[in-house]
């Protein structure tokens, strides 16, 4: 591996043009750099050692030019790879790279010479971002005729800035210094160039040759006057950012029009920022320049920049540019380019302004990438690539760093070698570190128990480091969780940093200690001084006038659920955690007193992962209770204004509504489709009837055979078993469901409620059910209300717990709950070869990544904490039965016992040996009844908590 000793782009160290700059001079936009990431192959982990060498991300760049294509060496930093590619191209094409290594005197001569060229006759009609300014100067009137602002010359010519950087490296980041150097050089060529007394401008001493003028005259004559939409950003945060119409002529000096709006006399008093956003952008901030005398002996040592300017620091404008901007400012997208002699100009609407603003914070960047500013939210976790929508966390983090003038984040992945001879249980042990983190579900994984997808078994983990431009460490995130795929590890780590940054930005009041302890939860260490310096304007800009945190951090589960109105036929197809919901939605601004409405955002098909808080909390809460085909309608409190204005098409109408106090967001959604998680899709495709149905039939057979009158379903989820049981005539009179997922329970309550009431209405119903209840609680803890049932089921639940918890459940169930019969099912690990050898049939597009995931994935579902072989399961169940004085037999569904590899789902049936349940010490009941039904008609709404 070849590494360059130092960054070739560093002007302080190497003063000639960088290879990239040389390529740019020659090829302009036609040079196309393509950077790819390469895996470091120098892993020399020794067998038996769990940790291999670190393999950080490295980059290789391919440069496509018209004549040729070259590939760089491999580097740690993207920009080094690009420079290396450019260097190779220069070598290959034989472009003579003359070392620019003049004496100071020669450099000054070069600078003066370049100025002389810019003011030459031939430059006037050339294609150069600066020549348009020279032409438009000829349309200026009176003493301004032919005057070109120094700021323009200092900014738009690469050669000038390169020579200035050579003369004084500080010129790289100080535009005033470049201006002062240009003025000094101009003074040397007073034979050619004049410096008018009153202006910060340069003018040609002698008139241009008539031919030079006439060659551009036809162009100047065709100038049109047009209104251009720009944005005014007042220095005072109290004053609102406003839209402004600027009248410009396409051939005139547009800087004069901007000067006029800023209350300045003419163009040369305007200070121009660097470009904002993309490299090709012409978007800049215009403000007032320092007075001319400042340049007389510039720079004065120990004088702060602020003293050169009039007006106070403009936080919003400074935030956008990463430069200090003083006084009121104008944001406009206008300028001359390499592409054409015509003036380029584009409207900057208020909506665009707010979209740019919002794009600078992590959650906003995610919203923008989904084009769902009011619906989407930065998800809690990166579960799988196939479930992620919108920009990837890593990309958002990279653009965050770019926008905040930080270095590119450095990701280093580490491989934990798994010895293939170690069995599953053994290899899990190595990763025990991850277990302590399971409590932090809201941080590291999904909020609900059935959805904590992160931190699962896998050989990769990833660390992220963020440095400032001067290589001070700002943030370091070292998550412990490991992942099956390297990309998952990288994305998860990036998402952690983003989530933490987001909380930091949204909560300006947060004390430092709190921020530090929050950082610990996210495995983040940071250097407060550096972080605050880098993000110094963030808080004042994003929190001016609005509180960001109100609605953003709201918990999805609360009484708000009762506001929601759901309508339409219940198709029975409901989403569960990990599935993808596809909705259509509309969001409007709504004023209660007069029913005024303003449309803000809508989407025909919007997909998101359930259980990952990837959308507005209310929206997810609503969808979790809906069935495909149903629609819902609700109103919620407003998010911060900046989000509303970033979404609004009609800013004026929106602003006028927002100025009245009692506005709400009104949301209308329709659930169009639900795509099940991988496991369910596979099971449905491969088994007929589907495995879940086979499990229900299995339970039904045992209910009938035992004439059970009471049943408890441990880990009932969305109630699929209870619901199905109700469709058959049985002896059951009392059914109970227990789960720890409130969301699943809400769905279970909804469907059981309507089903039971339906049965009550129908005369022929054979149902004997008199009482049903759903409890919110863990099945590993005692509750007297779960004791002594005829039959208990626990289908496909324990593999979602840690193994120790599963054992705890076994003991609690048989020694405290003491059902006559307990049916426990779990997936059979040995059957996975069959599942993973085939792809689901029917409809699902072939996503190669998803397939890989299946193959790389040992378990059927990313939420599974373990899966057992037949031998492991039988051992567990037999030991348990023995301890608790139960008998046990084994069975299963999907395939048969005598054909290898046995059942797809293995089942243990425990039978109590004693007639009466043991007497036990009773503890306190912990379960919360969240829904209750009794044979009498009841009016209780299923969703209201008692
Ligand atoms: N039995 C259902 C659901 C299986 S999914 C069916 O066959 O369709 C697993 C369920 O177990 C999830 O709903 C999850 O919330 C629940 N669960 C996991 N740990 C639990 C615990 N300690 N107590 C109660 N339920 C739990
Ligand atoms: Mg499962």
């Amino acid at each position: 591996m070849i590494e360059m000793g130092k960054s070739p782009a560093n002007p302080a160290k190497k003063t000639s043009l960088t290879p990239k700059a040389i390529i740019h001079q020659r090829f302009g936009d036609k040079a196309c750099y393509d950077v790819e990431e390469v895996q470091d192959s120098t892993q020399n982990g020794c067998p038996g050692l769990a940790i291999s060498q670190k393999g950080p991300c490295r980059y290789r760049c391919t440069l496509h030019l018209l004549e040729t294509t070259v590939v760089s060496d491999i580097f740690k930093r993207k920009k080094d790879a690009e420079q290396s590619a450019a260097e190779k191209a220069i070598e290959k094409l034989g472009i003579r790279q003359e070392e620019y290594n003049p004496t100071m005197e020669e450099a000054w001569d070069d600078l003066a010479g370049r100025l002389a060229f810019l003011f030459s006759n031939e430059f006037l009609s050339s294609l150069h971002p600066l020549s348009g300014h020279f032409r438009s100067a000829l349309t200026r009137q009176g003493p301004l005729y032919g005057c070109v602002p120094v700021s323009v010359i200092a900014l738009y010519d690469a050669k000038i800035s390169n020579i200035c950087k050579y003369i004084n490296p500080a010129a790289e980041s100080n535009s005033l210094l470049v201006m002062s150097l240009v003025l000094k050089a101009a003074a040397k060529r007073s034979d050619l160039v004049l410096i008018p007394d009153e202006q910060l401008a340069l003018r040609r001493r002698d008139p241009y040759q008539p031919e030079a003028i006439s060659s551009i005259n036809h162009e100047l004559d065709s100038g049109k006057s047009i209104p251009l939409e720009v944005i005014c950003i007042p220095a005072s945060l109290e004053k609102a950012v406003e839209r402004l119409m600027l009248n410009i002529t396409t051939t005139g000096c547009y800087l004069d029009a901007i000067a006029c709006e800023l209350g300045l006399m003419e163009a040369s008093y305007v200070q121009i920022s660097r470009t904002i956003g993309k490299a090709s952008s012409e978007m800049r901030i215009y403000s007032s320049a320092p007075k001319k005398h400042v340049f007389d002996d510039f720079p004065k040592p120990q004088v702060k920049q602020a003293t050169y300017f009039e007006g106070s620091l403009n936080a919003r404008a400074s935030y956008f540019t990463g430069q200090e901007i003083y006084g009121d400012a104008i944001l406009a997208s206008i300028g001359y380019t390499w592409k054409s002699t015509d003036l380029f100009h584009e409207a900057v609407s208020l909506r665009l302004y707010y979209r740019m603003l919002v794009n600078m914070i992590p959650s906003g960047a995610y919203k923008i990438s989904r084009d769902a500013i009011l619906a989407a939210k930065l998800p809690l976790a990166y579960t799988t690539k196939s479930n992620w929508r919108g920009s990837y966390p890593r990309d958002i983090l990279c653009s965050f760093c770019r926008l905040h003038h930080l270095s590119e984040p450095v990701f280093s992945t580490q491989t934990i070698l798994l010895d293939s001879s170690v069995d599953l249980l053994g290899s899990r042990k190595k990763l025990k570190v991850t277990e302590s983190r399971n409590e932090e579900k809201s941080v590291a994984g999904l909020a609900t128990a059935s959805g904590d997808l992160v931190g699962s078994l896998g050989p990769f983990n990833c660390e992220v480091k963020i440095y400032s431009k001067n290589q001070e460490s700002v943030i370091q995130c070292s998550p412990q969780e490991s992942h099956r795929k390297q990309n998952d590890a990288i994305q998860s780590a990036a998402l952690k940093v983003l989530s933490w940054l987001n909380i930091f930005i949204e909560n300006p009041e947060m004390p430092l200690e709190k921020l530090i302890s929050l950082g610990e939860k996210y495995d983040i260490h940071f250097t407060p001084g550096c972080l605050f310096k880098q993000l110094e304007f963030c808080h004042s800009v994003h929190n001016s006038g609005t509180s960001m945190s109100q609605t953003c951090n709201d918990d999805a589960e609360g009484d708000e659920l009762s506001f929601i109105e759901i309508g339409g036929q219940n198709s029975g197809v409901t989403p569960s955690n990990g599935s993808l919901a596809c909705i259509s939605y509309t969001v409007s601004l709504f004023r209660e007193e007069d029913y005024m409405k303003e449309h803000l955002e809508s989407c025909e098909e919007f997909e998101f992962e359930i259980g990952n808080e990837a959308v507005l909390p209310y929206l997810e809460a609503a969808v979790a209770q809906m069935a495909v085909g149903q629609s819902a309608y609700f109103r919620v409190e407003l998010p911060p204004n900046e989000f509303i204005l970033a979404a609004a098409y009609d800013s004026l109408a929106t602003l006028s509504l927002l100025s009245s106090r009692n506005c709400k967001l009104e949301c209308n959604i329709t659930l169009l489709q639900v795509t099940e998680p991988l496991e369910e899709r596979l099971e449905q495709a491969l088994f007929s009837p589907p495995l879940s149905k086979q499990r229900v039939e299995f339970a039904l057979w045992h209910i009938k055979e035992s004439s059970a009158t009471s049943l408890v379903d441990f880990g009932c989820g969305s109630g699929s078993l209870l619901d199905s049981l109700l469709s058959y005539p049985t002896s059951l009179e009392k059914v109970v469901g227990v789960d720890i997922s409130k969301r699943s329970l809400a769905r279970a309550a909804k469907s059981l409620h309507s089903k039971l009431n339906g049965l009550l209405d129908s005369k022929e119903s054979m149902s004997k059910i008199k009482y049903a209840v759903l409890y919110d609680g863990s099945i590993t803890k005692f509750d007297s209300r779960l004791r002594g049932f005829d039959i208990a089921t626990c289908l496909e639940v324990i593999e979602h717990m840690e193994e120790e918890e599963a054992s705890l459940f076994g003991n609690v169930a048989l020694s405290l709950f003491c059902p006559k019969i307990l049916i426990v099912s779990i997936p059979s690990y040995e059957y996975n070869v069959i599942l993973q050898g085939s792809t689901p049939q029917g409809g699902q597009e072939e996503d190669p990544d998803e397939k890989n995931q299946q193959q790389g994935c040992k378990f059927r579902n990313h939420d599974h904490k373990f899966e057992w072989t037949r031998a492991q399961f039988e051992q567990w169940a037999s030991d348990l039965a023995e301890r608790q004085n139960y008998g046990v037999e084994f069975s299963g569904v999907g395939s048969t016992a005598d054909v290898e590899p046995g059942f797809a789902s293995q089942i243990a049936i425990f039978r109590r040996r004693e007639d009466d349940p043991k007497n036990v010490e009773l503890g306190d009941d912990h379960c919360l009844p969240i829904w209750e039904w009794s044979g009498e008609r009841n009016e209780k709404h299923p969703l209201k908590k008692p």
Side-chain angles (χ1 to χ4, degrees):
M1 190 184 311
I2 304 157
E3 294 245 7
M4 290 178 142
K6 61 189 169 193
S7 157
N10 190 339
K13 304 257 160 64
K14 191 161 176 176
T15 42
S16 63
L17 289 184
T18 64
K20 254 184 103 172
I22 292 166
I23 291 293
H24 182 76
Q25 278 187 345
R26 189 149 167 142
F27 296 93
D29 292 344
K30 293 190 184 79
C32 176
Y33 293 85
D34 214 346
V35 180
E36 70 186 315
E37 231 161 72
V38 281
Q39 229 350 85
D40 195 350
S41 54
T42 57
Q43 276 174 16
N44 51 357
C46 19
L49 243 184
I51 313 289
S52 83
Q53 281 248 313
K54 272 195 184 185
C57 265
R58 286 168 197 276
Y59 302 96
R60 176 165 50 211
C61 173
T62 309
L63 170 57
H64 305 275
L65 297 168
L66 293 177
E67 295 115 287
T68 183
T69 295
V70 290
V71 181
S72 75
D73 298 325
I74 295 170
F75 289 89
K76 271 194 202 138
R77 301 196 308 175
K78 282 184 189 167
K79 61 176 178 188
D80 292 344
E82 288 178 354
Q83 294 293 358
S84 150
E87 204 164 274
K88 295 208 165 195
I90 288 166
E91 234 167 79
K92 188 164 174 188
L93 296 174
I95 303 172
R96 285 264 316 282
Q97 189 188 356
E98 270 158 48
E99 270 291 302
Y100 185 65
N101 212 354
T103 61
M104 263 310 148
E105 205 170 323
E106 286 164 343
W108 277 105
D109 286 347
D110 285 345
L111 190 55
R114 181 65 183 171
L115 279 179
F117 170 70
L118 295 178
F119 281 92
S120 67
N121 286 299
E122 69 226 76
F123 185 70
L124 199 58
S125 56
S126 67
L127 185 58
H128 186 285
L130 202 45
S131 62
H133 288 275
F134 280 74
R135 291 189 294 274
S136 73
L138 301 177
T139 64
R140 304 180 83 188
Q141 302 298 315
L144 296 175
Y145 177 82
C147 288
V148 183
V150 176
S151 59
V152 167
I153 296 171
L155 200 66
Y156 288 98
D157 186 50
K159 192 145 189 192
I160 296 242
S161 30
N162 278 324
I163 304 173
C164 288
K165 271 182 237 165
Y166 182 80
I167 294 173
N168 186 343
E172 161 100 343
S173 57
N174 187 338
S175 57
L176 295 185
L177 183 54
V178 182
M179 286 167 72
S180 83
L181 295 176
V182 168
L183 279 168
K184 275 182 198 142
K188 287 176 182 262
R189 291 306 303 262
S190 50
D191 56 321
L192 261 175
V193 190
L194 286 182
I195 309 174
D197 277 349
E198 291 307 314
Q199 300 152 34
L200 255 175
L202 302 182
R203 181 158 66 82
R204 205 179 131 98
R205 174 181 281 276
D206 305 324
Y208 282 102
Q209 282 163 11
E211 304 88 75
I213 299 277
S214 63
S215 72
I216 59 160
N217 257 350
H218 64 277
E219 191 195 313
L220 292 185
D221 291 344
S222 64
K224 292 184 299 277
S225 158
I226 46 161
L228 179 66
E229 192 175 358
V230 301
I231 294 298
C232 171
I233 308 175
S236 156
L237 284 171
E238 321 271 84
K239 289 196 199 149
V241 170
E242 276 173 346
R243 185 184 94 124
L244 209 73
M245 294 310 289
L246 209 63
N247 273 313
I248 57 164
T249 14
T250 50
T251 52
C253 179
Y254 65 84
L255 281 172
D256 277 332
I258 291 176
C260 180
E261 281 304 334
L262 288 171
L264 306 169
M265 243 149 47
E266 49 93 15
S268 76
Y269 296 98
V270 178
Q271 171 92 1
I272 310 172
S273 80
R274 59 179 160 215
T275 55
I276 299 169
K278 290 184 305 221
S280 58
S281 141
E282 278 306 317
M283 189 139 10
R284 293 174 193 268
I285 296 249
Y286 299 86
S287 53
S288 68
K291 290 282 168 285
K292 194 174 180 186
H293 65 79
V294 164
F295 293 96
D296 292 346
D297 50 348
F298 188 88
K300 291 196 196 90
Q302 270 121 42
V303 171
K304 280 208 165 159
Q305 195 173 345
T307 55
Y308 297 133
F309 293 91
E310 282 164 14
S312 51
L313 190 69
N314 188 324
R316 287 176 289 208
S318 304
Y319 178 62
F320 264 118
T321 56
Q323 290 172 318
E324 288 182 15
I325 306 275
Y326 294 88
D328 294 347
I330 282 177
L331 173 68
S333 180
I334 188 167
Y336 296 96
T337 65
W338 285 102
K339 294 198 182 84
S340 135
T341 50
D342 295 338
L343 179 65
F344 167 85
H345 53 86
E346 219 174 29
V348 183
S349 60
L350 211 50
R351 179 171 188 262
L352 180 58
Y353 166 83
Y354 278 105
R355 287 173 78 89
M356 286 165 57
L357 190 68
V358 154
N359 192 41
M360 292 178 79
I361 54 176
S363 69
Y366 179 76
K367 286 159 179 280
I368 298 260
S369 77
R370 297 226 56 191
D371 206 8
I373 292 168
L374 298 174
K377 225 173 131 254
L378 189 67
L380 277 184
Y382 184 86
T383 53
T384 68
K385 189 176 174 192
S386 54
N387 276 12
W388 186 266
R389 296 291 178 278
S391 290
Y392 288 111
R394 194 237 314 251
D395 298 340
I396 299 178
L397 188 61
C398 289
S399 96
F400 179 89
C401 289
R402 227 172 298 133
L403 287 169
H404 293 89
H405 307 281
L406 291 156
S407 291
E408 287 275 296
V410 181
F411 294 89
S412 11
T413 50
Q414 180 180 300
T415 318
I416 303 160
L417 284 187
L418 292 173
D419 187 340
S420 56
S421 68
V422 178
D423 70 357
L424 257 177
L425 294 174
S427 55
R428 262 178 39 76
K429 298 260 154 58
K430 282 183 195 152
L431 298 162
K432 273 278 152 75
V433 269
T434 62
E435 286 175 15
S436 61
R437 284 162 199 279
N438 286 339
E439 292 139 31
E440 298 289 307
K441 274 168 188 147
S442 61
V443 172
L446 296 184
T448 54
S450 56
D452 41 344
L453 308 180
V454 172
S456 40
L457 177 73
F460 294 106
N461 92 18
C462 175
E463 188 179 74
V464 195
K465 285 188 186 139
I466 298 176
Y467 296 96
S468 71
K469 287 276 191 228
N470 1 322
Q471 302 305 312
E472 305 154 298
S473 163
V474 183
I475 295 173
Q476 175 175 351
C477 175
S478 324
Q480 300 294 307
E481 299 91 353
S482 57
H483 297 263
R484 287 188 199 102
K485 290 167 65 184
Q486 187 177 32
N487 183 51
D488 292 356
I490 293 173
Q491 303 297 355
S492 296
L495 184 56
K496 274 200 166 180
V497 178
L498 289 173
S499 307
W500 180 78
L501 279 168
N502 213 50
I503 299 176
F504 166 67
I505 293 169
E506 287 181 355
N507 298 281
E509 315 281 81
M510 189 183 288
L512 182 59
E513 313 84 74
K514 209 144 164 239
L515 191 61
I516 292 174
S517 73
L518 191 72
E520 277 160 16
K521 282 196 188 144
Y522 285 77
D523 303 311
I524 284 174
H525 285 281
F526 63 102
T527 323
C530 277
L531 181 76
F532 297 152
K533 200 176 95 213
Q534 292 291 337
L535 301 178
E536 68 176 310
F537 297 119
C538 254
H539 284 149
S540 49
V541 171
H542 287 290
N543 298 287
S544 63
T546 53
S547 155
M548 295 266 293
S549 38
Q550 306 167 332
T551 42
C552 295
N553 295 337
D554 259 356
D555 190 359
E557 286 168 342
D559 295 334
E560 291 84 356
L561 293 184
S562 51
F563 301 159
I564 297 173
E565 224 179 271
I566 297 178
Q569 274 285 306
N570 185 338
S571 62
V573 184
T574 54
S576 52
N577 279 326
S579 57
L580 287 172
C582 180
I583 61 168
S584 67
Y585 75 86
T586 323
V587 181
S588 317
L589 197 58
F590 177 83
R591 183 160 66 197
E592 287 173 326
E593 64 224 25
D594 57 1
Y595 293 89
M596 275 286 283
K597 232 193 227 184
E598 179 63 32
H599 171 84
L600 293 174
E601 187 175 281
S602 58
C603 183
E604 296 283 310
E605 281 184 18
F606 180 82
E607 254 188 338
F608 66 96
E609 182 177 7
I610 296 280
N612 204 3
E613 297 189 19
V615 288
L616 196 70
Y618 304 98
L619 216 156
E620 173 152 356
V623 170
Q625 298 167 37
M626 292 164 72
V628 169
Q630 289 187 316
S631 298
Y633 160 85
F634 56 93
R635 293 195 192 129
V636 294
E637 294 303 321
L638 295 186
N641 283 354
E642 62 183 38
F643 290 119
I644 296 175
L645 289 164
Y649 280 92
D650 188 339
S651 308
L652 293 182
T654 305
L655 274 168
S656 102
L657 269 187
L658 279 177
S659 63
S660 48
R661 287 261 136 207
N662 29 15
C663 271
K664 291 248 148 76
L665 271 195
E666 185 181 284
C667 307
N668 281 287
I669 49 180
T670 303
L671 182 56
L672 302 173
Q673 199 193 324
V674 169
T675 312
E676 292 302 326
L678 198 58
E679 180 188 22
E680 265 108 297
R681 254 183 288 156
L682 274 173
E683 291 192 349
Q684 270 173 19
L686 288 172
F687 300 95
S688 167
L691 266 192
S692 54
K693 182 117 192 284
Q694 294 191 35
R695 283 191 285 263
V696 171
E697 282 167 2
F698 188 92
L700 204 64
W701 190 87
H702 282 274
I703 293 165
K704 286 195 172 150
E705 193 221 33
S706 66
S707 310
T709 58
S710 58
L711 174 141
V712 54
D713 188 21
F714 294 120
C716 64
S718 324
S720 65
L721 174 72
L722 298 177
D723 200 290
S724 308
L725 288 179
L726 298 181
S727 304
Y728 300 91
T730 64
S731 46
L732 291 176
E733 291 172 12
K734 173 182 174 186
V735 292
V736 176
V738 195
D739 205 287
I740 44 167
S741 162
K742 289 197 186 60
R743 268 198 203 113
S744 301
L745 287 169
R747 244 179 281 132
K750 199 166 181 265
S751 72
L752 288 179
H753 192 83
S754 62
K755 190 141 191 179
L756 283 167
N757 281 347
L759 289 174
L760 208 60
D761 288 344
S762 82
K763 306 251 149 44
E764 316 87 87
S765 164
M766 311 279 293
S767 168
K768 299 196 174 77
I769 304 273
K770 297 197 180 77
Y771 178 73
V773 62
L774 292 174
Y775 290 115
D776 172 11
S778 173
I779 56 173
T780 56
K781 284 195 206 141
F782 178 73
D783 191 298
S784 63
R785 292 164 295 185
L786 304 179
R787 232 172 102 74
F789 279 70
D790 289 341
I791 192 162
T793 47
C794 183
L795 306 183
E796 308 290 298
V797 174
I798 62 170
E799 77 275 10
H800 293 263
M801 310 170 164
E802 298 299 337
E803 280 173 74
E804 299 78 56
E805 271 185 284
S807 296
L808 181 61
F809 163 72
N811 286 329
V812 168
L814 299 190
S815 69
L816 304 179
F817 298 148
C818 315
K820 277 190 198 144
I821 299 175
L822 169 67
I823 301 176
V824 177
S825 89
I826 67 162
S828 167
Y829 178 67
E830 288 154 290
Y831 198 84
N832 288 358
V833 282
I834 303 228
L835 288 180
Q836 287 162 7
S838 55
T839 29
Q841 258 118 59
Q844 285 309 315
E845 69 213 80
E846 288 277 325
D847 178 351
D849 194 70
E850 189 161 289
K851 202 165 166 214
N852 288 342
Q853 202 163 316
Q854 261 165 264
Q855 280 158 358
C857 162
K858 289 202 170 71
F859 300 153
R860 286 184 209 177
N861 180 316
H862 35 206
D863 188 38
H864 288 176
K865 302 294 187 302
F866 64 85
E867 282 177 8
W868 282 336
T869 61
R870 284 166 288 184
Q872 286 173 309
F873 183 54
E874 284 171 21
Q875 180 80 54
W876 175 83
S878 311
D879 289 353
L880 174 63
E882 175 100 19
R883 273 198 306 275
Q884 306 296 350
N885 200 17
Y886 271 68
V888 63
E889 42 190 279
F890 296 95
S891 182
V893 293
S895 189
T896 53
D898 34 323
V899 176
E900 277 305 306
F903 293 114
S905 233
Q906 43 186 345
I907 302 178
I909 306 110
F910 298 89
R911 284 174 210 278
R912 199 172 68 210
R913 292 221 170 96
E914 295 142 38
D915 281 342
D916 296 313
K918 282 176 272 186
N919 270 331
V920 285
E921 288 259 323
L922 300 184
D924 283 340
D925 292 344
H926 79 286
C927 287
L928 263 179
I930 67 135
W931 167 85
E932 220 172 349
W933 184 92
S934 73
E936 327 283 309
R937 207 171 238 307
N938 71 61
E939 298 304 318
K940 262 188 198 164
H941 191 275
L943 299 177
K944 271 197 186 143
K945 291 176 189 170

